[in-house]
């Protein structure tokens, strides 16, 4: 690893580096085209901007491997990658930065080392941890975040984090998110400009929850091998192994489910229950397709390059791709939702007298013109301050009404106010005068 | 990148987000659960119970039907909401072994909006009223307890008697049920 590139603001002897590898890229970086941003600057300036930009890649799996490779080959030189996962043998068919000898090792570390070996001059810093282990000060060091995640929960978390980090006074606080996702032959790429364009949460209800079979079908009239497996998974396990937490990575547990499902399938004359199908159904595995990952990752990396350089307009703002019957893509502007719980109501500062009781504070809230609250319920992270409904919760939180605000909320803490009159809860950051 | 910032400025946001290090935030799932609870208008036949009032994602709902075959019983359901809410539905289980065509002996509940028909636009209120409805109108066509459904379909009077016997902790056929009379 080259140590002289540690400081992201200095460019390590770029002029001496042979740019033949990037000669095609330089065609778009050294001169403009018909769609180039009129404000874009070309030549060495833009090249050094790419080289000094600190970029975070979230996920070093199927999409992450592709994204890391693409970004490194696009000339980014200060890439950071975060992934909590270790390499499994089943990853090796598509996660091409890993080899058999890497099984069991950290994805972030192996991917970083591999790309550094293959693309000279790039520095990749791995973080073998959960995104939730890092705080605002960590995320604020990057110019751009590219995510190749496989979970909704993680996406919601990073989205909320980056939306909340936006400070209207500070241009640097706004970090574009480029989010890629794939499922089998389908995928999507989107560009999120936190607080400016639709955020992940704005788009949440567009997800089709995974198709589920009615419980009574599983219990009484299974028709497919999957029904027998789901039955073993949901009903038989609870019945026979109550108290044991099902671990879908434990071969003994999966074998048990497989045998239960097999017996049930025989009972109903259903064929097709296998061990690997059992594994697939209980772990909700949708086979990953390498080419889908490649297409989506290419789109994400392309957007990263365009946003950083202005060489072409970037995506506005959602591209969906489907490759299961022919090839289809459609790009559209996903509208920002006014009542989005994350970006529709950004947390606002509220000056509060720390000696005020919670009861008086609630009364003062109702007087505020913007809110016109009827019966506000107030919480902070992990604590109910006062809930007006349901009745039992009201009773349990009533003693807090007499407490002083300073006893309940620390200076700078966020509270959420929900009320029947509000389509989404208001969030305030309490500041004591 | 500069262009993005000018877009931001053009927006002329009336409100202003504050920078600096912030404390722990309320998660989107919790915000939604708070909103759902703050709008929950429970009838006198229903009551919630929170083991920890600070944890609004886990609670028990008690239903005491005031009409129908399950009148006089008191039924508890465990609600478990995860951080994927409202993308994922709440997980709901009956806390007792009861004789009901749509609830099995383990407490699994067959209610469409808890599984195949769940949508993020539905809320806790929809689920709670769905559960109450199961006691007013047990449904023989979506059986989870096959015997109970069969009884309901073939002999409604016998089914009613079985419900009565089961609710006081008695036997139906060879199965003993929990006493749910408070």
């Amino acid at each position: 690893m080259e140590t002289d590139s540690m400081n992201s603001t200095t460019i390590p002897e770029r002029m001496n580096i042979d740019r033949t590898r990037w000669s095609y890229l330089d065609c778009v970086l050294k001169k403009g085209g018909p769609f180039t941003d009129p404000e874009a600057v070309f030549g060495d300036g833009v090249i050094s901007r790419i080289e000094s930009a600190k970029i975070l890649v979230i996920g070093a799996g199927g999409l992450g491997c592709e994204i890391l490779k693409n970004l490194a080959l696009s000339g980014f030189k200060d890439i950071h990658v975060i992934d909590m996962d270790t390499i499994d043998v089943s990853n090796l068919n598509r996660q091409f930065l890993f080899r058999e000898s890497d099984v069991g090792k950290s994805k972030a570390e192996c991917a970083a080392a591999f790309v550094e070996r293959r693309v000279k001059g790039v520095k990749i810093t791995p973080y073998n941890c959960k995104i939730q282990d890092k705080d605002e000060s960590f995320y604020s060091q990057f110019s751009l975040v590219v995510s190749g995640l496989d979970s909704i929960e993680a996406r919601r978390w990073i989205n909320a984090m980056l939306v909340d980090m936006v400070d209207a006074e500070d241009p640097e606080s706004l970090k574009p998110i480029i989010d890629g996702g794939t499922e089998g032959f389908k995928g999507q790429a989107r560009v999120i400009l936190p607080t400016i364009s639709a955020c992940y949460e704005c788009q949440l209800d567009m997800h089709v929850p995974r198709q589920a079979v009615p419980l009574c079908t599983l219990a009484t009239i299974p028709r497919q091998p999957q029904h027998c497996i789901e039955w073993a998974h949901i009903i038989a396990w609870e019945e026979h192994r109550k108290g044991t937490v099902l671990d879908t990575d434990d071969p003994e547990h999966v074998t048990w489910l497989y045998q239960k499902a097999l017996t049930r399938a025989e009972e109903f004359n259903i064929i097709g229950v296998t061990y690997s199908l059992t594994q697939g159904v209980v772990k909700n595995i949708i086979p990953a397709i390498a080419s889908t990952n490649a297409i989506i990752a290419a789109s994400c990396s392309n957007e990263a390059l365009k946003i950083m350089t202005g060489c072409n307009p970037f995506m506005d703002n959602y591209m969906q791709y489907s490759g299961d019957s022919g090839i289809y893509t459609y790009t559209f502007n996903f509208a920002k939702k006014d009542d989005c719980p994350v970006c529709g109501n950004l947390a606002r500062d509220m000056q509060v007298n720390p000696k005020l009781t919670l009861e008086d504070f609630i009364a003062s809230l109702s007087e505020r013109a913007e809110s016109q609250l009827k019966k506000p319920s107030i919480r902070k992270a992990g604590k109910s301050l006062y809930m007006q409904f349901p009745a039992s919760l009201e009773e349990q939180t009533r003693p807090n009404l007499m407490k002083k605000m300073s006893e309940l909320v620390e200076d700078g803490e966020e509270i959420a106010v929900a009320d029947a009159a509000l389509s989404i809860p208001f969030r305030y950051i309490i500041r004591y005068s | 990148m500069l262009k993005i910032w000018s877009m931001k400025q053009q927006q002329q946001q009336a409100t202003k987000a504050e920078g600096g290090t912030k404390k722990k935030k309320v998660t989107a799932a919790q915000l939604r659960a708070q909103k759902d609870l703050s709008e929950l208008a429970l009838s006198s036949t229903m009551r919630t119970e929170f083991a920890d009032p600070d944890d609004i994602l886990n609670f028990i709902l008690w239903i005491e039907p005031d009409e129908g075959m399950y009148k006089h019983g008191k039924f508890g359901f465990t609600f478990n909401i995860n951080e994927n809410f409202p993308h994922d539905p709440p997980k709901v289980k009956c806390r007792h072994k009861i004789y009901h065509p749509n609830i099995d002996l383990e407490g699994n509940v067959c209610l469409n909006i808890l599984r195949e028909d769940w949508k993020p636009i539905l809320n806790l209120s929809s689920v709670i009223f769905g559960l109450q409805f199961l006691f007013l109108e047990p449904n023989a066509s979506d059986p989870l307890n096959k015997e109970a459904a069969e009884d309901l379909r073939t002999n409604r009077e016998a089914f009613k008697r079985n419900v009565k016997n089961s609710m006081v902790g008695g036997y139906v056929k060879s199965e003993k049920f929990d006493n749910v009379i408070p």
Side-chain angles (χ1 to χ4, degrees):
Chain A
M1 193 192 299
E2 288 170 55
T3 49
D4 58 354
S5 59
M6 287 300 279
N7 185 342
S8 62
T9 54
T10 59
I11 302 110
E13 295 159 27
R14 186 174 48 74
M15 300 309 161
N16 301 334
I17 294 173
D18 179 15
R19 278 198 71 82
T20 49
R21 180 169 216 164
W22 284 282
S23 56
Y24 291 102
L25 185 65
D26 284 353
C27 293
V28 290
L29 296 184
K30 289 195 164 163
K31 54 179 190 285
F35 301 105
T36 305
D37 186 337
E39 286 169 42
V41 200
F42 288 94
D44 286 349
V46 73
I47 294 170
S48 67
R49 192 189 306 160
I50 296 179
E51 293 183 344
S52 59
K54 219 178 200 181
I55 290 215
L56 178 67
V57 175
I58 301 180
L63 275 171
C65 282
E66 293 273 0
I67 291 168
L68 285 170
K69 174 258 292 173
N70 293 348
L71 292 179
L73 290 175
S74 302
F76 288 98
K77 289 208 178 326
D78 190 5
I79 305 170
H80 296 241
V81 58
I82 183 165
D83 196 310
M84 59 179 283
D85 226 358
T86 54
I87 297 156
D88 187 83
V89 71
S90 65
N91 302 145
L92 299 178
N93 69 336
R94 63 193 184 285
Q95 300 178 20
F96 50 80
L97 302 178
F98 311 136
R99 295 293 173 266
E100 219 174 319
S101 57
D102 294 329
V103 170
K105 293 183 193 161
S106 150
K107 284 189 174 178
E109 286 164 12
C110 289
F114 193 103
V115 177
E116 280 188 348
R117 272 202 307 279
R118 289 291 292 269
V119 185
K120 288 292 170 240
V122 66
K123 183 171 73 113
I124 304 194
T125 314
Y127 304 90
N128 179 20
C129 62
K130 292 169 70 170
I131 54 170
Q132 289 89 344
D133 294 341
K134 298 287 182 190
D135 61 6
E136 194 172 318
S137 60
F138 173 80
Y139 292 105
S140 62
Q141 63 180 308
F142 303 104
S143 321
L144 188 80
V145 174
V146 187
S147 82
L149 282 163
D150 60 357
S151 104
I152 290 171
E153 191 182 334
R155 282 196 180 87
R156 284 177 91 180
W157 190 89
I158 190 69
N159 176 66
M161 168 62 93
L162 294 181
V163 168
D164 278 342
M165 269 166 53
V166 177
D167 175 355
E169 311 279 283
D170 176 15
E172 293 296 310
S173 67
L174 195 147
K175 325 279 182 195
I177 309 170
I178 301 165
D179 175 60
T182 67
E183 198 172 86
F185 284 103
K186 296 193 177 86
Q188 105 278 320
R190 63 188 130 197
V191 171
I192 296 170
L193 307 177
T195 73
I196 297 178
S197 65
C199 79
Y200 183 73
E201 198 78 19
C202 292
Q203 307 173 352
L204 190 68
D205 45 6
M206 201 186 59
H207 281 272
V208 184
R210 87 163 164 128
Q211 270 195 328
V213 180
L215 216 48
C216 36
T217 303
L218 301 182
T220 51
I221 37 156
R223 298 182 304 272
Q224 293 172 11
Q226 288 86 343
H227 296 169
C228 301
I229 297 166
E230 277 280 272
W231 171 85
H233 181 199
I234 298 172
I235 296 170
W237 183 272
E238 276 287 291
E239 215 176 298
H240 298 281
R241 303 191 64 168
K242 212 176 187 130
T244 318
V245 178
L246 179 68
D247 176 5
T248 53
D249 287 324
D250 184 335
E252 189 270 318
H253 288 186
V254 179
T255 306
W256 189 92
L257 293 177
Y258 163 59
Q259 264 145 11
K260 278 280 166 201
L262 197 61
T263 315
R264 186 166 174 84
E266 278 161 8
E267 210 177 293
F268 286 89
N269 284 320
I270 295 168
I271 48 163
V273 173
T274 61
Y275 183 85
S276 67
L277 185 70
T278 309
Q279 214 178 13
V281 170
V282 300
K283 294 176 83 170
N284 191 22
I285 297 175
I286 291 154
I289 308 292
S291 54
T292 312
N293 284 340
I295 289 164
I296 296 303
S299 169
C300 292
S301 312
N302 202 13
E303 294 310 316
L305 186 76
K306 291 190 289 182
I307 289 176
M308 291 310 298
T309 63
C311 67
N312 258 304
F314 52 83
M315 182 197 295
D316 181 28
N317 51 26
Y318 193 109
M319 187 273 286
Q320 57 182 50
Y321 163 80
S322 173
D324 48 6
S325 50
I327 289 194
Y328 173 80
T329 78
Y330 181 61
T331 304
F332 61 99
N333 175 290
F334 204 114
K336 189 171 183 297
K337 257 171 80 175
D338 291 335
D339 60 352
C340 168
V342 170
C343 75
N345 257 346
L346 297 178
R348 297 175 220 187
D349 269 16
M350 186 187 260
Q351 293 290 335
V352 176
N353 177 351
K355 294 195 181 107
L356 217 58
T357 60
L358 180 61
E359 187 167 30
D360 292 339
F361 173 73
I362 292 174
S364 76
L365 272 182
S366 311
E367 285 159 16
R368 288 172 78 100
E370 87 247 22
S371 43
Q372 305 200 336
L373 305 178
K374 295 186 177 83
K375 292 204 157 209
S377 289
I378 304 189
R379 283 178 46 82
K380 66 175 194 178
K383 188 165 175 62
S384 302
L385 300 176
Y386 184 60
M387 295 289 291
Q388 308 237 21
F389 298 104
S392 72
L393 209 47
E394 192 277 332
E395 211 172 289
Q396 282 172 298
T397 53
R398 199 184 302 151
N400 285 343
L401 285 177
M402 292 303 124
K403 290 188 186 154
K404 289 198 182 69
M405 284 300 283
S406 56
E407 293 173 58
L408 297 166
V409 184
E410 278 176 51
D411 186 50
E413 252 184 326
E414 185 180 296
I415 62 161
V417 179
D419 187 277
L422 301 174
S423 58
I424 43 167
F426 274 145
R427 294 179 295 141
Y428 293 106
I429 297 161
I430 298 298
R431 306 274 181 204
Y432 292 127
S433 25
Chain B
M1 291 296 282
L2 284 168
K3 184 163 187 181
I4 293 171
W5 192 249
S6 57
M7 285 165 68
K8 170 80 188 158
Q9 282 162 336
Q10 280 162 15
Q11 249 191 357
Q12 291 182 327
Q13 285 240 333
T15 56
K16 163 177 166 250
E18 194 64 29
T21 325
K22 280 175 205 157
K23 304 253 163 65
K24 225 173 144 193
K25 291 166 196 118
V26 188
T27 63
Q30 290 196 20
L31 277 178
R32 173 60 191 268
Q34 180 182 353
K35 174 177 150 59
D36 280 12
L37 287 172
S38 68
E39 289 170 0
L40 205 57
L42 292 181
S43 63
S44 58
T45 56
M46 290 189 280
R47 196 168 58 79
T48 53
E49 180 184 328
F50 290 80
D52 172 5
D54 293 335
D55 177 9
I56 56 168
L57 301 183
N58 291 289
F59 60 92
I60 302 168
L61 173 77
W62 294 99
I63 302 180
E64 293 183 66
D66 58 358
E67 54 181 314
M69 292 179 258
Y70 290 89
K71 189 176 170 178
H72 305 306
K74 182 180 175 182
F75 306 93
F77 291 87
T78 310
F79 274 65
N80 172 256
I81 300 168
N82 69 19
E83 282 292 337
N84 263 346
F85 182 73
H87 183 261
D88 287 357
K91 280 204 170 67
V92 176
K93 280 203 124 183
C94 182
R95 297 170 61 82
H96 329 276
K97 184 170 169 185
I98 64 170
Y99 172 82
H100 190 293
N102 313 113
I103 298 174
D104 74 11
L105 304 181
E106 301 300 316
N108 294 307
V109 184
C110 190
L111 180 64
N112 63 338
I113 55 170
L114 279 178
R115 220 176 126 75
E116 68 274 12
D117 290 333
W118 170 257
K119 309 237 168 3
I121 52 155
L122 294 171
N123 57 20
L124 288 179
S125 199
S126 347
V127 171
I128 287 170
F129 286 100
L131 288 175
Q132 190 184 37
F133 188 70
L134 285 183
F135 289 106
L136 304 178
E137 290 287 339
N139 171 4
S141 58
D142 289 337
L144 209 49
N145 178 339
K146 250 200 295 195
E147 287 78 28
E150 197 55 34
D151 295 344
L152 174 60
R153 197 167 25 235
T154 53
N155 187 343
R156 201 175 166 88
E157 286 312 310
F159 176 79
K160 279 187 187 174
R161 279 196 302 278
N162 288 345
V163 169
K164 276 213 161 61
N165 287 338
S166 70
M167 284 187 2
V168 294
Y171 283 83
V172 175
K173 286 158 197 152
S174 58
E175 205 69 63
K176 189 185 182 332
F177 289 90
D178 288 348
N179 184 343
V180 291
I181 305 296

